[in-house]
Amino acid sequence: MRTLRDIPALRETLGEYRQRGQRIALVPTMGNLHAGHLALVEAARRHGDVVVATIFVNPLQFGPSEDLDAYPRTLADDQDKLAQAGCDLLFTPDTAMLYPRGLDGQTRVCVPAVSEGLCGGARPGHFDGVSTVVSILFNLVQPDTACFGEKDYQQLAVIRKLVEDLHFPIEIVGVPIVRADDGLALSSRNGYLDPDQRATAPSLYRTLCELRNALEAGEPIATSLETGLARLRESGFEPDYLELRDADLAAVTATTRDAVLLAAARLGPTRLIDNLTLTLPR
Ligand code: PAF
């Protein structure tokens, strides 16, 4: 696997792939890779002839009081994992390479409506930062396909709309959540949890499973969500939100069948997110 840090070298290598008629699959990441990311690489291998991964801890998507500085940087380890997973090329630019005019001078991309509420409500500006960096990466790599995890359900919805609205000729592939044996969705932020918090963390998933069962059995939505919030608090979480939306993240109506439960909750300073899709009864 080759690792490139600058845009001209990236363009040259991508040009060689294209000349050979190879289909390019992109896996954007912020590094500190775990099995969830490697599932993205696996999916990319199925959808492309060459896999290009990116590692860039994107300052534009972190709020002023968030964990940008603490975010784990583990490049050597990540390179080994990507190479073993069959990635062909890693692009890992620095901030000055992607944002040469600095963050304040940077043109931004904003995807309306779907970026609002949920994580967009709790983290103002977060999805503008994601949409901006993903648009830049799409422009630089011009992949045929790009893979994103379904754990970040709202992010995936934002990126699907971005691709439609900006007419990027890119197929977006959503990859199912990878969970630890106890159900905890894999996340780079799980590494922040101390042993007690790590033992508590799977109750986020368990609460979502209980709620899904209740809702699929026809229990009323509002009281089920209140019970779910109380469960989370009893377990030691401070919930940011626990919501039921339709599969496109619009409000649930009497005719909604395909729905998704979404939660974000803090355990100490660590913010965890998770979601479960479900089918509401008629
Ligand atoms: O999901 C992530 O790791 C990031 O939000 C992404 C898509 C790589 C953009 O920085």
Side-chain angles (χ1 to χ4, degrees):
M1 182 187 74
R2 295 180 68 186
T3 298
L4 300 174
R5 290 189 169 73
D6 66 89
I7 291 171
L10 174 72
R11 287 203 163 119
E12 199 183 313
T13 304
L14 293 169
E16 289 163 15
Y17 295 154
R18 274 188 213 104
Q19 264 186 352
R20 293 201 288 265
Q22 289 174 304
R23 221 179 123 77
I24 298 169
L26 175 67
V27 179
T29 81
M30 297 205 302
N32 193 230
L33 304 180
H34 50 67
H37 296 107
L38 302 181
L40 301 181
V41 174
E42 231 170 79
R45 287 179 59 191
R46 289 195 299 274
H47 284 82
D49 302 311
V50 284
V51 176
V52 178
T54 64
I55 295 180
F56 177 64
V57 183
N58 173 31
L60 271 192
Q61 69 188 76
F62 287 78
S65 59
E66 292 184 351
D67 56 341
L68 173 63
D69 293 334
Y71 202 85
R73 273 94 168 159
T74 52
L75 182 61
D77 213 39
D78 293 345
Q79 283 172 308
D80 286 347
K81 288 178 180 164
L82 286 171
Q84 272 173 34
C87 178
D88 297 281
L89 175 64
L90 169 63
F91 177 54
T92 177
D94 63 14
T95 305
M97 177 67 56
L98 280 204
Y99 303 134
R101 284 179 194 81
L103 301 188
D104 291 341
Q106 175 61 43
T107 299
R108 301 195 188 208
V109 177
C110 163
V111 181
V114 71
S115 296
E116 287 148 28
L118 303 169
C119 284
R123 304 181 67 190
H126 169 68
F127 286 118
D128 294 357
V130 171
S131 304
T132 300
V133 80
V134 168
S135 300
I136 292 172
L137 295 172
F138 283 175
N139 265 327
L140 289 175
V141 177
Q142 303 193 358
D144 298 281
T145 184
C147 300
F148 295 88
E150 288 176 352
K151 182 175 78 69
D152 297 289
Y153 193 98
Q154 189 179 13
Q155 170 172 283
L156 183 55
V158 167
I159 289 165
R160 286 192 195 284
K161 183 165 194 299
L162 167 99
V163 161
E164 266 181 49
D165 289 358
L166 299 185
H167 304 278
F168 280 113
I170 299 172
E171 174 204 20
I172 300 300
V173 175
V175 178
I177 299 176
V178 178
R179 297 184 181 279
D181 289 346
D182 56 14
L184 178 65
L186 297 192
S187 161
S188 300
R189 291 191 167 95
N190 293 351
Y192 298 154
L193 301 170
D194 68 25
D196 285 347
Q197 292 166 338
R198 177 62 189 79
T200 301
S203 50
L204 178 58
Y205 175 62
R206 283 199 293 271
T207 303
L208 289 180
C209 289
E210 284 167 19
L211 255 175
R212 176 191 55 193
N213 296 345
L215 293 166
E216 288 193 332
E219 296 291 329
I221 294 171
T223 48
S224 300
L225 290 173
E226 268 166 37
T227 308
L229 280 171
R231 278 275 144 75
L232 288 177
R233 291 196 182 97
E234 277 158 30
S235 312
F237 284 96
E238 230 182 85
D240 262 359
Y241 62 79
L242 174 61
E243 290 197 32
L244 182 72
R245 298 280 186 100
D246 80 7
D248 298 323
L249 293 182
V252 167
T253 68
T255 57
T256 302
R257 296 292 161 257
D258 294 331
V260 56
L261 270 168
L262 304 115
R266 284 169 206 280
L267 259 186
T270 308
R271 186 173 183 276
L272 301 178
I273 61 172
D274 203 346
N275 67 79
L276 266 190
T277 54
L278 63 132
T279 309
L280 292 171
R282 279 174 203 284

